[in-house]
Structures are given as structure tokens and as C-alpha cells.
Amino acid sequence: YGGGAIGGVINVIDSRVPSKAIEGVSGVGEIRHTSVDDGRSGVFRIDAGDGNWALHIDSLYRDWGNPDIPGLALNPRNIDDTDESSDGYIANADGHTRRSTFGSAYHYDSGYVGLSYSELDNVYGIPAGVHHHHDEDEIEHEDHEDEEAEEGVSLAVSQKRWDLAGDQHFDGFLELLRWRLAYSDYQHQEIEAGGEIGTTFNKEAWTGRLELAHRPFSQLGGEWHGVLGLQWSEADFSALGEESFVPANTTRQFGLFWLEDYHANNWSIEAGMRADLDRLSAKDESIADYDTDSMSASIAAVYDFNDNWTTSLSFSSSRRAPTAEERFSNIGNTIGSYVVHGATGAIELGDENLDSEVAQNIDLSLRADMDVLIGKITAFSNHFQNFIYLENTGAELDDVEVLAYRQQDATFQGLEYELEWPFYSTGNQRYSLSVFGDRISGELDNGDDAPRLPPGHDGVRLNWQAQDWQADLSVVYGKAQSQPGTNELPTASYQRIDMTVSRIFELANVEYSLMLKGRNLGDEEIRSASSFIRDYAPESGRGIELALQMRFD
């Protein structure tokens, strides 16, 4: 997955190109309503096939309004002037999403080949107070209508994507050739309150991946299986309009990787290596190109003490090149013409001298699966050389924070745990109690705290199951973040109460799942320490969610 996978990846398998042969028709659909933002959503998926041809269709519809919150949207602890703040809701935070995908594949005896097409349409508002204009005429102009227009900025996002994929199986030592090719055309536009288009951002990208897997073989008392592959991508980015803060640029990446796993007795071992070539070039010839090559490697081992206890240990050394945003943001702009990044509500300054970031990671886990205890605890330590981060400089221009990309060594350490105690069961009923939480600390080489780290959390969850019924009640305590980083402001602690009740039943060969969820039932004000806009948009307040899911085969 590349050096950018520092800390892990989430692998989402969406079956947009059906990779397995399908006989018959199956589907799932869901409708949902949320009270906190009067949100309505619907989604469905259908997979069908005759053994050779396979078809996949899915679609998503979602609308939501301004979410309810307890109190003011602007944080009175950190913002002096809250007179213009919305009260009881986050203004200009409504939106809608539409997405649809169509894919098909032909399966034959030794593999398949398939194609899919998807479209995304997403329109959402930037919470009031986040977006700032820096045109001198607008700063001097104090017409109330212009102030209202500034509060009504929204983003219109669209994407069109094609995916081509296939597998080819062989009878020899090399058993599988897997290949993927994707093209995406992404655009988002800043829309002013009056409907005028401000800045248009475009990104056109190609990605390809080729994997060659060998058949399992036995040696050294165990079984080996592995894959050799290459990955390639090229992305062209451009922005047209007065608020473009990153110059047009092209990012090219090429990676060669090898991954091998070994299984013997109670051991499972996985090792991998990857070599990457990265090239970042701006269309502006006055900006120097950036070229770098890097190596990443990892090894992980899992040992089963017995049927109940398992431990795992992993080491990795990962390297990633700086992105266009990190190197080029506001490059070439002068102090009077700096452009605000709408997503963070701040001026961001790139640094052309940034070098590649290197991370040395170690993770140690212990798992238990017994009648009286089910759980996992993980400790990790990550040491970075040339860690890239966005620092709050403490400076402001026209009441807008100035953030700058910096680089220095850093160390992160943390702990995650979850323990479940099934304390009572009788007949078809089961009761369990869980405790869970996490801790993380981060320190830069100069002794400063790493910015915008989430605080520690501790929680308890009571779960009940009885035949087709299930319910749980959880309480999470989020600690105050008193070490927010240089020139960052602390966030307060909170307690969050959530509840879920669900039932599964079947009618006419269709399985239904009815769910009722309560979120933030204590109506707590929660401001995420990791969010750039936490002082403008807290998390949603108390809400009830009702969902009905239908599934058939």
C-alpha cells in the first residue's frame, strides 16, 4: 500500500467489479432517518449472475439539514466574539450526497475480467465562520449582504470513476496474476451564497496495480505463500479561481513490493518489502521538481499459546514523500495574497525544503478468547525521522490563523484495550459487560507536544442478546486535551451516552433488521481535539436514528 500507509490502512472491498462468480440474485437495501439533522438516507445493492456473467449495481441517496447542538456553534471558551454564532444548531452545515455504481464481469474457468463505472455527487456547506475571504476589496467592504454571503459558502463535489480488473489462474508454481486499472475525474467547486462559482479544483488520476502470487509450498517445517507486485499512479491537479492556494502540479508514483507469509504449528509470520519512486512537479517552472526513492519493510509474527491466548508482535520501517499540499501550499503568494484553505479555515504555508518522512513502528498485542473473558490489548511506539506536521504559528492575518508545514523528529506512544466479560447467560439470553479505551501521546524532538492529538478515552458497554433481539448501552468518557500542541487551545472533557436496540425477523424469504439508535443522549458539547474547525463546529447533539434493512438471496 506504500509508505503512506504508516499506522495501517483500511481495505474496503466494495465488489464494484464482481470478483467472484454469482449464481442467482441477491440484494440488500436500507432506509434511515436521523432526528439530529432531519437526515434521510437510502441505499441498495444488487448482485446477480448466471455463473459466467456477474452484475453489480448499488446506489446511495442522502440528505441532511443543519445538525442540532447543545448551545453555541462558536466556542465561547476560545472565541471572544460569539454574537454572530448560531445557537442550538450549526449554520450552513446541510447537504446531500448521491452515488451510483454499475459493474459487470465475465467469469471463465481460469479467471475473470470486469469493468465498472461510478458517479458521486456531494454538496455540503462549510460551517459558518470557517471560510474567510482575503480579497482587499471584500475586507474593506462592510455591506451586511456580503457578510451573509460569506457565511453561505458550500462545496460541490463530483467524481466519475472507471475500474477495470481481472484475475488469471495458472496450474504451475505461479498460481495467480491479479491486475487492476482505475481512472478517476474529480472536481470540487466553492459555491458562494449567491450561486456564483468561486474556485474550481480538478484532479485527474490513473492508478494501476499488478500482483503475481505463487502457490503455497512447504519448507522449514511450515507452509509459505507470497505475492510480488507493482503499483503505479499519476495524478494531475489544478485549481482555477481567486482562492487557489496550491499551484497546478503532477504527482507520479511507482512502487515494487513483495510480501510473504509463513505458517507452522502455532506460528504465523509475515514479512514484506517495498521500493518506491516518487516525483512531484509543478506546472510553474520556477518551482523545482521533487524526486525521491525510498525503501519500506515490515515483519510481523503471531503466536498461539493455546486455543485461548494469542500474542502478536510487528516491526515496520516506512517512508513517504511529502505531498503537493505540504510542499506547495501558498507557494509564490505574498502576505497580502495568502489564500485560506476552506476545509481548515486557516492559511496554510507549504515548505519546498521538506524531505521524506521515515517511521519506525513497533506494535505488541495480546488477545484472549475464553468463556469468562474476551479481549485484546495493544501497545505501540512510533518514532519518526523528519515528521511532517501542520504547526499553528501563533500569527493571524485578518483574524485568520496561519499554519505552516514543519518537519522534525517525533515520537508517538499509545495503548488500546477492550475487555468483554460475559457475566450471565441462560437459555437464549446472554449478558456481557465490556470496558474499552485508548491512550496516545506525541512529543516532537524540540520537546513540544504534537498538535491536534485526540485525548484518551475510557468506556463501558452493557450488551444483551436474546434470540432475534440485541441491545447495548455505552458510556464513553473523553478526557480533556490539556496538551494540544504549540499555539493550540485545549479542549474540555465530556461524557457520551449511546444506545442501540435491534431486532431481526424474516417475512416472505426476506430478512429484515429494524434498528433504533440513540446518540449522545446526554446532549454533551463535544469538540474534537483533532479537528481543525472544533471551535466553529462541535459534534452533533442528542439524536435518535431509525433504520430498516432488508436482505434477500
Side-chain angles (χ1 to χ4, degrees):
Y1 293 99
I6 292 170
V9 297
I10 298 175
N11 186 20
V12 178
I13 301 174
D14 56 18
S15 300
R16 64 178 66 198
V17 177
S19 59
K20 295 182 179 180
I22 300 172
E23 291 275 5
V25 181
S26 65
V28 60
E30 181 177 297
I31 54 175
R32 188 180 296 260
H33 180 266
T34 51
S35 65
V36 73
D37 56 5
D38 193 25
R40 294 155 298 180
S41 63
V43 61
F44 77 87
R45 167 179 171 168
I46 295 176
D47 296 285
D50 62 1
N52 293 119
W53 284 101
L55 177 69
H56 170 89
I57 301 174
D58 69 57
S59 185
L60 166 69
Y61 160 92
R62 183 179 174 223
D63 284 313
W64 67 94
N66 294 324
D68 296 333
I69 56 172
L72 299 176
L74 299 185
N75 189 355
R77 294 186 183 92
N78 298 335
I79 297 178
D80 294 330
D81 185 7
T82 59
D83 292 341
E84 300 299 323
S85 174
S86 56
D87 190 354
Y89 67 98
I90 303 175
N92 199 51
D94 56 337
H96 73 257
T97 298
R98 311 284 188 268
R99 192 197 69 218
S100 58
T101 302
F102 176 85
S104 182
Y106 179 73
H107 292 260
Y108 49 94
D109 290 342
S110 58
Y112 81 93
V113 60
L115 177 70
S116 77
Y117 174 73
S118 63
E119 285 192 5
L120 169 70
D121 172 37
N122 192 8
V123 178
Y124 58 94
I126 297 178
V130 174
H131 192 80
H132 305 268
H133 292 284
H134 278 272
D135 183 90
E136 293 181 1
D137 293 335
E138 289 181 317
I139 294 173
E140 294 174 358
H141 193 55
E142 297 185 3
D143 187 282
H144 184 64
E145 291 181 359
D146 282 342
E147 292 179 4
E148 289 182 341
E150 183 176 315
E151 299 297 303
V153 175
S154 61
L155 295 182
V157 177
S158 64
Q159 183 186 48
K160 296 177 174 62
R161 177 181 171 119
W162 290 90
D163 284 88
L164 185 64
D167 286 356
Q168 180 64 50
H169 295 269
F170 306 103
D171 294 329
F173 176 72
L174 298 177
E175 68 168 350
L176 173 65
L177 175 66
R178 175 177 290 124
W179 55 273
R180 306 286 186 266
L181 182 66
Y183 167 78
S184 66
D185 185 5
Y186 170 90
Q187 180 185 91
H188 87 248
Q189 297 178 319
E190 291 186 354
I191 311 297
E192 307 296 335
E196 303 86 359
I197 297 176
T199 305
T200 298
F201 300 84
N202 293 289
K203 187 173 184 178
E204 188 175 6
W206 286 88
T207 60
R209 187 178 178 93
L210 189 69
E211 299 177 7
L212 189 59
H214 68 72
R215 191 172 302 280
F217 67 91
S218 297
Q219 192 173 3
L220 300 177
E223 188 173 77
W224 296 80
H225 184 262
V227 60
L228 179 70
L230 59 88
Q231 188 173 1
W232 156 82
S233 67
E234 181 170 331
D236 292 315
F237 170 86
S238 65
L240 302 174
E242 296 180 353
E243 299 194 22
S244 168
F245 67 98
V246 178
N249 62 81
T250 298
T251 301
R252 296 182 178 89
Q253 298 175 313
F254 180 82
L256 179 67
F257 59 90
W258 165 76
L259 185 70
E260 196 78 24
D261 58 77
Y262 170 79
H263 305 275
N265 299 321
N266 295 353
W267 285 97
S268 295
I269 299 174
E270 185 176 277
M273 296 183 66
R274 181 179 175 111
D276 284 288
L277 299 174
D278 295 87
R279 179 182 178 87
L280 176 61
S281 58
K283 296 297 189 291
D284 186 345
E285 295 183 357
S286 66
I287 301 176
D289 293 346
Y290 179 77
D291 296 271
T292 185
D293 57 84
S294 58
M295 290 290 298
S296 299
S298 66
I299 184 169
V302 178
Y303 180 73
D304 298 322
F305 294 103
N306 50 46
D307 292 338
N308 305 120
W309 290 91
T310 301
T311 186
S312 62
L313 179 65
S314 66
F315 301 90
S316 67
S317 176
S318 303
R319 187 181 184 103
R320 77 169 185 92
T323 65
E325 290 77 9
E326 292 166 339
R327 288 182 61 87
F328 295 158
S329 290
N330 275 300
I331 291 296
N333 294 336
T334 59
I335 292 179
S337 62
Y338 284 150
V339 176
V340 178
H341 185 187
T344 61
I347 295 170
E348 298 176 13
L349 305 181
D351 185 352
E352 290 185 87
N353 297 314
L354 293 178
D355 202 353
S356 293
E357 179 183 86
V358 182
Q360 313 289 340
N361 307 328
I362 179 171
D363 289 66
L364 176 63
S365 296
L366 181 65
R367 297 171 183 252
D369 188 358
M370 301 180 291
D371 292 337
V372 296
L373 178 68
I374 302 169
K376 176 184 178 182
I377 183 168
T378 300
F380 62 88
S381 178
N382 301 338
H383 177 70
F384 286 84
Q385 298 174 21
N386 297 326
F387 174 64
I388 300 173
Y389 63 100
L390 197 53
E391 180 185 73
N392 190 328
T393 65
E396 290 189 355
L397 292 175
D398 304 311
D399 297 324
V400 180
E401 292 181 337
V402 178
L403 310 180
Y405 285 100
R406 308 291 195 203
Q407 189 167 54
Q408 62 174 299
D409 294 352
T411 300
F412 294 82
Q413 295 177 331
L415 179 74
E416 299 174 349
Y417 69 92
E418 182 168 5
L419 304 173
E420 181 183 359
W421 173 38
F423 64 89
Y424 181 76
S425 62
T426 177
N428 294 320
Q429 296 193 55
R430 180 181 183 272
Y431 296 83
S432 64
L433 185 67
S434 301
V435 292
F436 54 91
D438 56 73
R439 299 286 188 278
I440 186 171
S441 63
E443 184 176 310
L444 304 176
D445 195 46
N446 63 3
D448 292 342
D449 296 308
R452 293 173 298 279
L453 279 182
H457 301 83
D458 292 295
V460 59
R461 181 187 303 111
L462 179 64
N463 182 270
W464 166 73
Q465 291 177 298
Q467 293 183 327
D468 299 329
W469 287 89
Q470 180 172 323
D472 64 69
L473 176 67
S474 65
V475 180
V476 176
Y477 174 71
K479 296 179 178 292
Q481 180 52 280
S482 57
Q483 297 176 297
T486 303
N487 297 315
E488 297 286 347
L489 296 172
T491 55
S493 62
Y494 63 86
Q495 288 184 350
R496 176 174 174 138
I497 303 173
D498 296 326
M499 178 202 70
T500 301
V501 178
S502 65
R503 188 194 176 199
I504 298 175
F505 56 96
E506 186 172 321
L507 290 174
N509 296 322
V510 177
E511 182 183 273
Y512 293 86
S513 178
L514 183 63
M515 295 171 285
L516 179 66
K517 300 182 180 182
R519 294 289 178 258
N520 193 10
L521 294 177
D523 207 27
E524 285 274 303
E525 181 183 294
I526 303 174
R527 296 186 184 269
S528 173
S530 59
S531 171
F532 284 95
I533 61 172
R534 57 186 176 270
D535 286 331
Y536 300 93
E539 294 185 22
S540 300
R542 180 189 297 115
I544 302 297
E545 184 175 320
L546 182 63
L548 176 64
Q549 186 180 98
M550 298 146 284
R551 185 182 299 271
F552 67 91
D553 293 308

